[in-house]
Amino acid sequence: IMRYARHGHRGNEPTDRTPTYNSWRKARERVYNPNAAGFKYYGGRGVEMCNRWDSFENFLFDMGERPADTTIDRINPFGNYEPTNCRWSTRQVQANNKRRRAA
């Protein structure tokens, strides 16, 4: 039940989850959960998450701990969530790296 506890990333309560774990969990939601906010811009648009990141341990190994004031960012906004296309970025960097939606 406490699969990620050995990394100190998940406790019994949602408030015990770290920013790194939450970034992974929310990215997965955007890709896989049709009821998630923003799904239409991610999974609904064909954005995927690499199979390696089905495991939080692999995600943590590839990305490292999330630095303060950053969130996960896809370098190519048309690409998938995968090690070669993701980084931790500030909101300002992400604002300059978004795909343009048609009006």
Side-chain angles (χ1 to χ4, degrees):
I1 232 169
M2 298 262 300
R3 183 174 171 193
Y4 306 113
R6 68 175 173 234
H7 296 291
H9 286 273
R10 184 171 173 197
N12 293 328
E13 301 297 323
T15 55
D16 294 337
R17 295 180 180 147
T18 66
T20 306
Y21 181 84
N22 282 333
S23 289
W24 172 76
R25 183 177 59 83
K26 295 302 276 183
R28 290 181 58 78
E29 274 186 20
R30 290 189 294 271
V31 169
Y32 297 119
N33 182 354
N35 298 317
F39 173 81
K40 68 181 180 179
Y41 302 116
Y42 294 88
R45 206 172 48 78
V47 174
E48 298 179 349
M49 182 173 278
C50 66
N51 292 336
R52 176 171 168 74
W53 285 359
D54 287 346
S55 158
F56 175 72
E57 287 90 349
N58 289 340
F59 174 82
L60 179 62
F61 180 85
D62 293 340
M63 292 293 294
E65 292 287 351
R66 179 177 139 186
D69 300 320
T70 65
T71 58
I72 193 166
D73 179 33
R74 289 174 298 126
I75 297 163
N76 173 354
F78 296 94
N80 296 321
Y81 285 101
E82 56 193 6
T84 58
N85 193 43
C86 289
R87 62 188 172 190
W88 298 117
S89 296
T90 63
R91 292 194 188 280
Q92 181 63 47
V93 169
Q94 288 187 41
N96 293 326
N97 185 41
K98 63 184 178 185
R99 69 184 182 90
R100 305 290 181 227
R101 291 196 284 260

